[in-house]
Amino acid sequence: MEEARKEFKTARLSDGRIEIMADSMEKVFKIRTFYEALISPVRLREIEYNPALIANCLIKEIDIDMLNLWHEGKPPYKYRIEIKGIKGDRSREAEGLIREIRKEYGENLINSPSDYEFEIRIERKKERCSVYLKLFTFEDRRFAYRINSLPASIKGETAANCMKLVSAHFRDNARILDPFMGAGTMLIERAFYGKNLRLEGTDIYGEAVKYAKENIRAAGLEAKLYKSDIIEFKNRDKYDEIISNMPYGLRVGTHRENEQLYKDFILRIPELLKPDGVLFLLTADFGLLKRLAKDNGLKLVAEFVIGSGGL
């Protein structure tokens, strides 16, 4: 919310979303922490869940000239429908709306679920609904540095959210380590805060180190990266900050393996971190992490809950 208000003074929180009035998508993409941008036409907020009414309101709000402007092209335009808040066969629910859209727009809009330029998203609450548009023709360059990623890589938006949440604890001239760096996303997002930062990262997988080097280079940054198990990593000096997306035991390894890894990692903290240093960790196994931290004399300064890939 704070980041949105820097760009848009009228930004407000509504039903779990941040609402803004924007005349440029470029301004919207200056906000690093949002997961998706939806357009909310005025006539399509809290209306009766009725295919004919929805299609009629769509044509009143979104005409072909507007679609031409958004897509920098000419019709026909391809779309898909996503209906949330219903049980049963969603494709069957969408059929009526597809017919009504065809009546209103003719051949200018084509339903194409596997190859589309925008999404019509309907969020149903009993007999009413709200309709949003998600456009895929505005280029989102916020995380263009992510040339490569791994199956368990953290999303750019999630990493940006993590760094924003803990940014009050950041310092200039900090030496920073990501001990489970993966493709380097957390290190890159950390670099948006502060000056004269020294970035370092380790990962046990050579492919991760290769990808992280490429991504960090694409971001215009420099970092020292090592192919190493953090438990065996030999560091000369201690770090001001340690930041990482911890293994969860969901996509990489097993819970039992990661339980031992967490124990061994926490025991290494006094060797890796300065006495006044700070540790920022993202994990789905927060109960285990908090218990181990407390047992080993680490002070919990702040705790946040965020959504990440359905977790």
Side-chain angles (χ1 to χ4, degrees):
M1 187 65 183
E2 176 189 344
E3 192 179 13
R5 279 187 172 151
K6 284 183 179 179
E7 296 295 331
F8 303 93
K9 293 181 180 179
T10 57
R12 68 187 188 93
L13 194 62
S14 175
D15 197 24
R17 290 193 174 100
I18 295 174
E19 289 190 355
I20 58 174
M21 295 289 291
D23 57 6
S24 165
M25 289 301 291
E26 289 182 6
K27 291 181 182 178
V28 174
F29 289 133
K30 287 182 180 180
I31 303 172
R32 299 194 63 75
T33 52
F34 71 84
Y35 286 88
E36 60 177 357
L38 302 176
I39 294 174
S40 176
V42 175
R43 285 188 179 88
L44 292 164
R45 297 180 186 176
E46 290 293 321
I47 63 172
E48 179 188 347
Y49 182 73
N50 177 295
L53 177 61
I54 292 171
N56 184 261
C57 289
L58 266 175
I59 196 69
K60 289 179 179 176
E61 287 279 355
I62 314 296
D63 59 24
I64 296 303
D65 288 339
M66 189 175 292
L67 287 170
N68 290 341
L69 178 64
W70 283 346
H71 295 277
E72 297 182 351
K74 296 180 180 179
Y77 298 113
K78 298 177 181 179
Y79 72 94
R80 73 183 288 266
I81 293 176
E82 174 71 17
I83 304 178
K84 296 191 173 185
I86 64 169
K87 296 179 181 179
D89 188 351
R90 297 185 185 185
S91 60
R92 191 171 180 180
E93 282 278 335
E95 288 175 2
L97 181 57
I98 293 167
R99 286 194 297 270
E100 294 298 333
I101 288 174
R102 190 180 298 120
K103 289 179 185 177
E104 296 287 359
Y105 287 91
E107 296 302 316
N108 288 311
L109 291 188
I110 298 175
N111 179 50
S112 177
S114 60
D115 177 22
Y116 49 89
E117 293 159 292
F118 69 96
E119 175 186 298
I120 300 174
R121 184 178 303 178
I122 300 170
E123 295 187 357
R124 184 175 178 182
K125 295 179 181 178
K126 296 183 180 180
E127 299 307 314
R128 301 191 70 77
C129 69
S130 290
V131 183
Y132 303 91
L133 301 181
K134 183 176 181 179
L135 305 179
F136 293 91
T137 48
F138 290 120
E139 189 175 18
D140 183 353
R141 300 286 299 169
R142 292 176 300 162
F143 309 105
Y145 62 78
R146 285 169 59 85
I147 297 171
N148 289 301
S149 62
L150 297 159
S153 290
I154 189 172
K155 290 185 176 181
E157 299 92 330
T158 305
N161 269 289
C162 288
M163 296 299 96
K164 180 65 179 176
L165 285 169
V166 298
S167 60
H169 301 279
F170 290 157
R171 311 169 187 173
D172 291 335
N173 308 304
R175 186 168 178 241
I176 302 156
L177 173 70
D178 186 340
F180 307 97
M181 69 178 172
T185 308
M186 291 279 269
L187 282 173
I188 295 169
E189 289 301 318
R190 170 63 183 91
F192 281 89
Y193 302 87
K195 302 175 182 177
N196 303 319
L197 304 178
R198 290 162 290 167
L199 306 176
E200 298 185 31
T202 69
D203 202 284
I204 196 170
Y205 298 107
E207 187 178 37
V209 177
K210 177 179 180 291
Y211 287 176
K213 284 181 179 178
E214 293 173 354
N215 290 343
I216 286 169
R217 190 182 302 118
L221 300 170
E222 295 181 358
K224 293 181 180 180
L225 308 180
Y226 310 92
K227 181 183 179 299
S228 175
D229 184 337
I230 189 58
I231 308 306
E232 300 172 357
F233 178 61
K234 305 298 182 184
N235 58 300
R236 293 182 179 179
D237 301 307
K238 295 185 178 183
Y239 295 90
D240 300 291
E241 299 171 16
I242 295 176
I243 62 173
S244 201
N245 174 31
M246 296 285 287
Y248 297 162
L250 298 175
R251 294 175 183 158
V252 178
T254 66
H255 174 77
R256 182 173 294 180
E257 289 171 343
N258 286 329
E259 185 173 8
Q260 186 61 51
L261 176 63
Y262 279 34
K263 289 178 182 178
D264 294 341
F265 172 63
I266 292 296
L267 287 173
R268 282 228 63 199
I269 296 303
E271 301 171 19
L272 295 169
L273 193 64
K274 292 179 179 179
D276 63 342
V278 282
L279 182 66
F280 310 108
L281 301 176
L282 173 66
T283 180
D285 207 342
F286 47 85
L288 171 64
L289 185 61
K290 286 200 294 184
R291 176 171 58 79
L292 290 171
K294 182 179 179 181
D295 290 347
N296 287 275
L298 296 177
K299 179 184 177 182
L300 180 62
V301 176
E303 182 179 2
F304 302 96
V305 178
I306 67 169
S308 175
L311 302 175

